[in-house]
Amino acid sequence: MSEAARLLETGTQASRGEAPRTSIPATILVVEDEPEIRAPLCHALKRAGYIVHEAEDGMTACRIIGSQRPDLILLDVMLPDLDGWEVCRMLRQHPDRLIASTPVIMLTALNSPEDKLHGLELGADAYLAKPYSQQEVMLVSGRLVERHRREIQLQREFSRLNQAVEEQRNLHSLLFHELRNQLAAMQINADLLQHADSSAVTSRLAAIHRSSSYLQCLAEDFLLIRQVQGGQMQLPTEPILAEALAAEMLELYETAAQARGIALKLRVEGTPLPLTANRPAFRIIVSALLDNAVKYGPSDHPVEVVCRFGEWRFELDVCDAGEGVQVQDSAKVFDRFYRGDGARCVAGSGLGLFGVRTLANAMGGNAEVDDQYGKGNCFRVWIPFAA
């Protein structure tokens, strides 16, 4: 990377992706090496209400563009060390789209048609030959600043809509993930029911009833859960008995666990207190963690669910005797569609743990993985108690 390109980058790494400044006054950078030309132009711009930065060479201009992110650049062509052609070319190639789209007016004594065409080919928005009318510069500057700000506003709105669509897609995927899990459980019980003796029929029918009841509640409550997307509203909360809901979800997965010789255990630590949370979101979290443990944990080994009531937060641990999450996977295991090498041999969508973190975050908490590779898998979700 050249020194000029590095200066353009300076100050933009931290702000890249942030909303640009759109409030009045606008910021204009005047790049002109002749003080007798630069001074009156800057004075006129300041009187018009603009914030003005000055540069007398191309390298200084690159540094100011990278750090100040001006709304408009008035750019002389004949500059020391780095001419205006090169500054304009580098600007248009900047990786930050907002900086790359900054409007440029070239002000130069080079007034041949070829020079003007060259400037426009490099990406200049206007080309004014010296001696120019100061009034013309002010008029063109105002129009370009206004156009640039409208484009920024449209880009921000477009990004907001894209984010809302993505959040809606994520929540829909989460719903279908839960539907698949419970339908699979109902299918297992239905298959076992065909070959069950009379003493086992009642328990199998009860398991199918639990799964169908859960799906009915999930369908009814999902409309509330999806309202969290796009900042429309927070998840509605109510006091819940976390340990009781966890016990209900263990019953849902009892048949699938027994099919693999897995015993499900529930342990409560601390004094149980009502937790202010979203009931269907909490159920989905426990369901996804249990599905993960039963599906990927080793056969004939127990899965333990721990409800821990601390001083200021509730913790839910779901632990199995699996190999554990490798270090390179721990930072990505909650990402959407991510599946570690150990999970590829088992059917799945890579949405379960993503949904756990999404819903935990929506309730003010988070999801974590315990770093105990080689000793088992342990996933933890924590939710703060209400103040």
Side-chain angles (χ1 to χ4, degrees):
M1 178 183 294
S2 68
E3 177 66 14
R6 185 189 65 77
L7 291 173
L8 271 172
E9 288 285 330
T10 301
T12 66
Q13 295 295 337
S15 56
R16 187 164 300 157
E18 296 178 357
R21 299 185 311 272
T22 57
S23 60
I24 300 295
T27 300
I28 295 180
L29 170 61
V30 178
V31 189
E32 170 62 64
D33 63 326
E34 299 183 38
E36 63 274 15
I37 297 178
R38 185 176 70 251
L41 181 56
C42 291
H43 179 69
L45 291 168
K46 291 176 182 177
R47 288 188 60 186
Y50 295 107
I51 296 174
V52 180
H53 295 283
E54 304 179 37
E56 58 184 20
D57 57 71
M59 298 295 284
T60 302
C62 289
R63 182 171 60 252
I64 294 176
I65 293 170
S67 61
Q68 301 300 322
R69 304 169 67 92
D71 297 294
L72 173 68
I73 302 171
L74 302 181
L75 180 63
D76 186 19
V77 173
M78 307 301 292
L79 296 170
D81 67 42
L82 193 68
D83 62 33
W85 305 125
E86 185 65 12
V87 173
C88 187
R89 183 191 66 80
M90 294 175 62
L91 178 73
R92 294 299 180 233
Q93 294 178 354
H94 197 282
D96 187 319
R97 291 175 55 192
L98 293 178
I99 289 182
S101 64
T102 304
V104 174
I105 301 176
M106 283 192 163
L107 306 175
T108 177
L110 302 176
N111 56 9
S112 70
E114 292 77 13
D115 290 327
K116 181 176 181 180
L117 181 60
H118 183 51
L120 296 176
E121 286 176 343
L122 288 174
D125 297 88
Y127 191 98
L128 302 180
K130 298 177 180 178
Y132 48 77
S133 163
Q134 196 173 90
Q135 185 177 3
E136 182 182 13
V137 173
M138 301 296 291
L139 179 63
V140 177
S141 297
R143 289 179 176 176
L144 287 177
V145 167
E146 182 64 26
R147 187 191 72 182
H148 184 55
R149 292 194 164 188
R150 285 198 302 267
E151 291 173 351
I152 289 175
Q153 186 63 32
L154 288 174
Q155 185 174 344
R156 292 175 63 191
E157 182 66 16
F158 181 73
S159 298
R160 187 190 67 79
L161 292 174
N162 274 345
Q163 182 180 2
V165 170
E166 180 66 17
E167 289 173 349
Q168 185 177 24
R169 183 185 297 116
N170 291 341
L171 287 171
H172 285 170
S173 299
L174 183 57
L175 172 64
F176 289 122
H177 181 269
E178 279 300 293
L179 288 172
R180 185 200 64 192
N181 287 345
Q182 297 310 313
L183 287 174
M186 294 170 68
Q187 181 66 50
I188 292 174
N189 281 292
D191 291 342
L192 293 174
L193 190 60
Q194 294 179 349
H195 308 288
D197 54 37
S198 56
S199 61
V201 169
T202 301
S203 64
R204 298 304 175 196
L205 288 176
I208 293 175
H209 178 71
R210 284 194 296 269
S211 292
S212 62
S213 297
Y214 171 63
L215 288 180
Q216 182 179 4
C217 293
L218 181 66
E220 293 173 352
D221 293 330
F222 186 72
L223 292 178
L224 292 177
I225 295 178
R226 64 177 293 187
Q227 288 176 351
V228 76
Q229 64 190 10
Q232 296 177 28
M233 65 174 291
Q234 293 183 341
L235 280 176
T237 59
E238 60 181 304
I240 64 172
L241 299 178
E243 71 281 9
L245 288 178
E248 291 180 12
M249 301 311 297
L250 259 68
E251 289 184 356
L252 279 177
Y253 281 90
E254 184 179 357
T255 302
Q258 288 178 350
R260 301 195 61 221
I262 295 175
L264 301 179
K265 301 179 180 180
L266 176 63
R267 178 161 53 92
V268 179
E269 295 183 359
T271 303
L273 298 170
L275 175 66
T276 301
N278 180 271
R279 185 181 300 270
F282 185 84
R283 282 174 168 162
I284 292 175
I285 288 173
V286 182
S287 174
L289 292 178
L290 281 173
D291 176 68
N292 192 69
V294 171
K295 187 180 295 182
Y296 301 117
S299 302
D300 303 320
H301 287 76
V303 169
E304 185 174 42
V305 177
V306 181
C307 292
R308 184 178 299 107
F309 294 86
E311 182 177 351
W312 63 275
R313 73 181 190 180
F314 167 82
E315 295 178 357
L316 174 77
D317 288 359
V318 178
C319 305
D320 61 58
E323 186 180 38
V325 177
Q326 299 188 43
V327 175
Q328 63 268 27
D329 290 340
S330 60
K332 301 178 289 186
V333 71
F334 293 102
D335 290 350
R336 188 170 187 254
F337 297 133
Y338 181 78
R339 305 189 73 207
D341 293 337
R344 301 186 190 280
C345 59
V346 181
S349 62
L351 287 170
L353 293 178
F354 167 78
V356 167
R357 185 184 61 181
T358 299
L359 294 176
N361 291 163
M363 292 186 288
N366 201 6
E368 305 163 351
V369 56
D370 194 358
D371 185 13
Q372 51 177 5
Y373 181 65
K375 301 179 182 179
N377 290 302
C378 189
F379 292 93
R380 173 172 298 159
V381 171
W382 63 265
I383 301 171
F385 290 116

